Amino acid sequence: MGKETIPSGHSVSIIILFVTGTSLFMGVAGSSGNSSWISILFAMVLAFPLMLLYARLHTLFPGRDLFDMLITVFGGILGRLFSCLYIWYAMHLGALILRNFGEFSKTVALTATPMLAPMLCIGLLCIWVVKAGLEVLGRSAKFLVLLTIAATVIVQLLCIPKFQFHHLLPLIDNGWPLVFTDTMGTFTFPFAEIVVFLGAFTVLPEKANARKIMLGGLFYSGGIILLVSLRNLLMLGPDTLSTLYFPTYVAISRINVGDFLTRIEGSVSFIFVTAIFVKVSLCLYMASNGVAKIFKLKSYRSVVLQIGLIMIYFADFVYKDIMEMQYFAYHIYKIYALPFQVGIPLVLWVCAEIAAKRNKRKKEAAAQH
């Protein structure tokens, strides 16, 4: 089977849906109240150099993914050890996202259905699409992202009559420290989670403009998250917003156009499902690809089913309840995820730059002789 490659537009679509994923319905860190939208802007600025770093890694290692980079730079033993850490991160993140979907279904939709049932349904769908290949996921994402953007714009327009702009005042009411705390929370969840896409860098053409792909995905997804967060804040207010597990669902339920167009939150939930589908699929691909690289398997497809089922089972007991899920997402995750998102890639980049300059000097010396 030939090497998989997907066009840049499909890659950007995958990143947009991956980043917006759970943020569309769970929201982002909001301890700063009516200034939480400022923390989203700060988080995007903070993520900008990180995207350039990820793109630089693609330039230094064209046609290679994160696991190839780690093994090349750090050697067989240490490189595989770091690869194991990223396999764990991808599996853990995928399980967390599935649990988010399970809690959402249990809380607002399928209240009498065991949580495992909806998680199993979407998990099996992700297993199928990953076995089919990232080309299929890319084409699906290209179509689904258009639906997501269209639905977001339509809902945004329908919500305008319900906007209460006094919810934005007074600005920085809770002080700058909480804004900076939310900035770090929003930076790690969801923007820096794009590190998972490095596990799929082999699907990018070697001459692809990785910088354009990463920054395009960041800005489009950041814009969607900013609009959704502002809408929720203007409709619900900071006090109500802080008490909800799924603020977007509640905000959309308040839409009422002439007593005719109302209670549309159920039909809009497909946006959440499609984003979850893409996000879990990419996590599953990264974990399967990592296992294949470590054990030198011919194809990652041979382990997709096993890892996918483990991910689904793990999601069933990863949290005790929805309160623990929310606490981990907004308080623990930003500390837990930082080494995977920033620490290891930064060390990898520094070592790769040093190695590249050393090889360049050797070639110049050989040319002179």
Side-chain angles (χ1 to χ4, degrees), residues 176-356:
W176 284 106
L178 286 179
V179 173
F180 295 140
T181 300
D182 280 354
T183 297
M184 283 306 302
T186 308
F187 170 72
T188 54
F189 166 65
F191 294 125
E193 289 178 340
I194 297 178
V195 70
V196 173
F197 191 69
L198 270 65
F201 261 12
T202 49
V203 301
L204 294 181
E206 294 189 9
K207 296 183 180 180
N209 190 339
R211 180 182 297 183
K212 184 178 179 181
I213 291 171
M214 304 304 285
L215 293 180
L218 170 67
F219 289 132
Y220 285 121
S221 59
I224 292 172
I225 292 172
L226 180 63
L227 287 174
V228 170
S229 299
L230 272 172
R231 180 195 67 205
N232 294 345
L233 176 63
L234 290 171
M235 291 187 71
L236 303 174
D239 295 332
T240 304
L241 205 59
S242 62
T243 64
L244 299 173
Y245 294 117
F246 303 104
T248 295
Y249 189 85
V250 177
I252 296 176
S253 69
R254 297 190 177 184
I255 293 176
N256 188 344
V257 180
D259 292 326
F260 172 72
L261 191 60
T262 183
R263 304 299 298 179
I264 64 171
E265 66 275 10
S267 57
V268 178
S269 297
F270 81 90
I271 301 175
F272 182 48
V273 177
T274 56
I276 288 289
F277 159 68
V278 171
K279 195 164 187 174
V280 174
S281 297
L282 193 58
C283 290
L284 178 57
Y285 175 87
M286 183 185 190
S288 304
N289 189 35
V291 170
K293 291 294 171 66
I294 287 178
F295 294 103
K296 299 180 181 179
L297 304 178
K298 291 183 179 179
S299 173
Y300 70 88
R301 289 180 171 88
S302 60
V303 294
V304 169
L305 177 61
Q306 297 89 325
I307 292 177
L309 292 176
I310 292 172
M311 192 180 289
I312 296 167
Y313 179 65
F314 184 32
D316 195 40
F317 66 84
V318 65
Y319 296 127
K320 183 173 63 177
D321 51 36
I322 193 171
M323 291 180 288
E324 187 177 304
M325 179 191 78
Q326 190 179 52
Y327 181 79
F328 181 86
Y330 295 141
H331 300 281
I332 307 298
Y333 184 77
K334 58 188 173 187
I335 302 170
Y336 160 77
L338 211 55
F340 298 101
Q341 298 170 347
V342 181
I344 298 175
L346 188 60
V347 174
L348 175 64
W349 169 65
V350 171
C351 294
E353 291 285 3
I354 293 172

Side-chain angles (χ1 to χ4, degrees), residues 3-4 23 29 85 122 135 299-300 307 336 338 353 358:
K3 179 183 174 182
E4 286 184 288
S23 304
L85 292 176
I122 198 166
E135 293 179 23
S299 173
Y300 70 88
I307 292 177
Y336 160 77
L338 211 55
E353 291 285 3
R358 187 182 297 127

